[in-house]
Structure formats: C-alpha cells, structure tokens
Amino acid sequence: MNFPICRITRHYQPSDIQQLCGDLNVFQLRGQFRCDRCNDRDSVSIAFVGLLATEMPGLVVGHLERIEMRRFPSGEM
C-alpha cells in the first residue's frame, strides 16, 4: 500500500488482507484502508507485488495481530 500524501509505503501479507476484507479484487480494496497519519483514504494506491529473493532482506512486512470491531454512531466517523 502506498500513501502518497504522507509518503509512506507499507507491505502486508496477502492472507492478512484477505482475512480483514474477504475475497476481494485488488481494485475493490482501494476504499477499504486509510493512512494512519493523515486519515486519508482517497489517495491510497494498492498493488500486489512479487519480490525477488534479493529484495526481501530488510523489508518490513506488517502482520495482523488482532481484529477489533468499533461501532460509531452514524455521522461521527
């Protein structure tokens, strides 16, 4: 995932994304995530990347720890 406004790139396991969002196409994931810093969801770009073995050392990959359900009254999100 690439957040161009804050210039952040994050990498996640595809199985974690599938557990969070279900079986969605990469194009359908665009509005599902937001930036931690600026809270923007519109400029997020998502792509599945196949990496070579030489690119993997030093790459930080996020892992799913827990799923937390939050309920907000309508209009307060």
Side-chain angles (χ1 to χ4, degrees):
M1 287 183 208
N2 185 17
F3 304 95
I5 292 175
C6 293
R7 297 181 183 164
I8 299 173
T9 300
R10 305 224 188 254
H11 300 279
Y12 297 99
Q13 293 288 338
S15 59
D16 290 346
I17 301 294
Q18 185 178 19
Q19 188 176 356
L20 281 174
C21 301
D23 193 19
L24 294 178
N25 187 328
V26 69
F27 300 110
Q28 296 169 322
L29 291 174
R30 187 162 187 247
Q32 300 290 325
F33 296 93
R34 66 177 68 226
C35 179
D36 294 337
R37 289 187 186 170
C38 68
N39 212 22
D40 182 41
R41 123 178 352 188
D42 295 328
S43 63
V44 176
S45 64
I46 298 176
F48 286 109
V49 179
L51 298 174
L52 299 173
T54 57
E55 297 173 327
M56 290 185 186
L59 182 69
V60 178
V61 178
H63 296 284
L64 182 65
E65 291 182 13
R66 67 179 181 274
I67 297 175
E68 200 173 283
M69 299 297 288
R70 295 182 183 178
R71 295 187 185 239
F72 295 96
S74 60
E76 287 192 27
M77 216 166 136

